[in-house]
Amino acid sequence: QYMSVETFNNKLTSLLEERYSISESARNNHARGEDIFDPVLPLGVAFPNTTEEVSQIVKICNNHSVPIVPFGMGTSLEGHVLGNEKGITVSLEKMNSIIEVNAEDFDCRVEAYVTRKQLDEHLRDQGVFFPIDPGAEATLAGMAATSASGTMAVRYGTMKTMVLGLTVVLPNGDTIKTGGRTKKTSAGYNLTGLFIGSEGTLGIITEVHLRLVPIPENILSAVCHFPSLESAVATVQEIIQYGIPIARIELLNAYQMEISIKYSKLDHLESKPTLFYEFHGSETANKESVSLVEEISNNNGGSQFKWAENTEDRKKLWKARHEVYYSVKALRPNTRVYTTDACVPISRLAECIKFTEEKIKEYGLEAPIVGHVGDGNFHCTVLYDPKNEEEHKIIREFSNELINKTLELDGTVTGEHGIGINKKEYLIKQHKDNIPLMQMIKKNIDPKNIMNPGKVFDIN
């Protein structure tokens, strides 16, 4: 066994030289994501420069039946990139070029490790932008692999809507390109859709072809406080049901507002259930949308809007929203954060959030609520001590109850985080009838089960 590991390491070293590392620090840095699991160190970490190199690495691993964990920025929350002690991790961090931008056609092609922020910087003077912002500084291939979403999904959709095509290295080392640059296609199976959300279990995404959208002429952001969580959620439901065009509606409950005000220095805001609004459009269209939303908010007891007057204020507001995870983490040192990810049809949202608040009280948890409520998706960020097994058990019980309630309300076990390891049993609850077909697809594409094994579902 020792010989074979050594031989295997030598093969990768002769291919990649110093870009294959078996140092403890490299292995440690690629042992887990932002999840609740203890790190698992891989045998080594490969840092390919090109799709061709990824293909060669995968061929070597396939020949020797060595598992592979693809690794982007490591911001995933459900254990997607947890290392494999019998395998290697393939870090795509050297593949960060923006290959082409076709602003006149609203599309672009990027390498796996390009981040959403990097792409937006690059596009800034071209009148277009990429609207999916999960908050974390995630890579675009990682976002495709987990079918990520974000605060603007209510207006622009999720990764499923925005990916036109992919370059994927399959488990046998072959490379395929799916999709293309056209707005629509009926050419065969939708393989792009198959790989979006496959979490590295069917291949390694090395390039992503994305749709872009025009930068709106006018962007307005406002905050509105409410007397209760119910009245805030009722407001959201009405805005969506009236079909008012809005780019983002984010909900923070009173406890999360209190934490965010301190952490992100939002001194002008109050610790009450709060909606963050953003409107994208022409000046006249926005005026109309704003007056309708103000009316609905007022009818539900909402405060006067507090406007983010300029780009700077707007950035500060949304940065605070995106810092929620870290604001909760900062409450107690040496704790971990367990994040739930319920998503229900908009008409069921009030019932689901009310149930969640009651359960948080019942279990005595420290768990503020935040959500992309325009799409019926919300999260509880639950603080716990990883050394306290009792605490972890309680959180899992709470999570199980929330998932059961979500499914009872025709919801999904994950709106945007994906399955990873943490939600495998929940996937069975939601899609028991689909699992055999998923297993069949996996076994045919990856007969040796080397691609991110043990994630999403178990083979046997």
Side-chain angles (χ1 to χ4, degrees), residues 1-14 20 60 64 66:
Q1 178 61 41
Y2 176 71
M3 254 321 283
S4 61
V5 168
E6 197 176 20
T7 311
F8 173 77
N9 281 340
N10 289 343
K11 279 195 174 178
L12 283 183
T13 304
S14 61
Y20 178 64
I60 293 170
H64 296 272
V66 173

Side-chain angles (χ1 to χ4, degrees), residues 16 27 40 54 65 68 71 182 185 199 234 314 338 382 422 431 436:
L16 299 169
R27 289 158 61 219
V40 176
V54 174
S65 300
I68 298 169
F71 198 99
T182 53
T185 174
E199 302 185 12
R314 213 172 55 236
Y338 178 95
V382 192
N422 215 21
H431 282 311

Side-chain angles (χ1 to χ4, degrees), residues 26 54 58 149 163 175 215 235 254 259 291 447 459:
V54 174
V58 171
S149 166
V163 176
T175 301
I215 292 174
T235 303
I259 297 165
S291 70
I459 281 298

Side-chain angles (χ1 to χ4, degrees), residues 31-306:
R32 62 178 272 230
E34 287 277 349
D35 49 56
I36 61 168
F37 298 98
D38 292 326
V40 176
L41 273 61
L43 297 174
V45 185
F47 298 91
N49 280 332
T50 61
T51 296
E52 181 44 43
E53 275 189 350
V54 174
S55 161
Q56 290 172 310
I57 292 164
V58 171
K59 279 178 180 155
I60 293 170
C61 289
N62 191 41
N63 289 340
H64 296 272
S65 300
V66 173
I68 298 169
V69 177
F71 198 99
M73 194 61 84
T75 53
S76 62
L77 293 162
E78 306 292 355
H80 306 86
V81 294
L82 194 69
N84 187 308
E85 61 207 7
K86 294 191 173 80
I88 66 161
T89 291
V90 175
S91 167
L92 296 153
E93 67 185 58
K94 297 198 180 296
M95 297 179 65
N96 63 351
S97 307
I98 293 166
I99 301 162
E100 58 174 321
V101 174
N102 309 295
E104 67 284 5
D105 288 322
F106 299 104
D107 74 287
C108 69
R109 201 153 56 90
V110 301
E111 285 189 321
Y113 201 79
V114 171
T115 65
R116 158 189 80 78
K117 280 184 187 161
Q118 181 192 342
L119 179 59
D120 271 346
E121 284 294 307
H122 183 85
L123 296 172
R124 181 167 283 167
D125 57 352
Q126 303 190 44
V128 290
F129 80 114
F130 182 68
I132 296 178
D133 63 327
E137 179 52 341
T139 66
L140 290 157
M143 286 165 64
T146 51
S147 195
S149 166
T151 57
M152 287 190 250
V154 61
R155 167 77 183 261
Y156 299 103
T158 69
M159 282 307 272
K160 278 195 172 71
T161 334
M162 299 305 289
V163 176
L164 288 164
L166 299 166
T167 303
V168 183
V169 175
L170 298 173
N172 65 357
D174 289 355
T175 301
I176 61 165
K177 282 187 183 334
T178 74
R181 283 192 55 207
T182 53
K183 264 284 197 287
K184 58 184 187 180
T185 174
S186 308
Y189 290 5
N190 177 8
L191 294 182
T192 306
L194 177 65
F195 286 100
I196 295 171
S198 64
E199 302 185 12
T201 60
L202 299 177
I204 299 178
I205 297 171
T206 60
E207 291 173 9
V208 190
H209 209 124
L210 297 164
R211 290 178 200 272
L212 301 171
V213 295
I215 292 174
E217 174 197 319
N218 183 251
I219 300 178
L220 297 172
S221 293
V223 168
C224 184
H225 299 303
F226 288 84
S228 68
L229 205 60
E230 282 77 23
S231 53
V233 176
T235 303
V236 174
Q237 271 177 241
E238 286 170 40
I239 290 167
I240 299 299
Q241 285 160 350
Y242 278 110
I244 299 164
I246 191 161
R248 330 197 210 200
I249 319 181
E250 295 288 302
L251 169 77
L252 280 70
N253 76 344
Y255 184 31
Q256 181 57 60
M257 278 304 290
E258 187 188 319
I259 297 165
S260 290
I261 287 165
K262 281 184 195 141
Y263 186 84
S264 302
K265 305 187 174 39
L266 301 173
D267 310 323
H268 63 301
L269 298 182
E270 298 168 54
S271 305
K272 287 180 177 168
T274 302
L275 293 178
F276 286 34
Y277 297 124
E278 190 163 275
F279 303 87
H280 291 185
S282 67
E283 245 172 89
T284 39
N286 276 353
K287 261 198 186 110
E288 197 181 317
S289 300
V290 167
S291 70
L292 289 168
V293 170
E294 279 190 305
E295 194 184 321
I296 292 169
S297 300
N298 285 342
N299 291 346
N300 286 300
S303 68
Q304 261 198 309
F305 280 18
K306 295 177 182 175

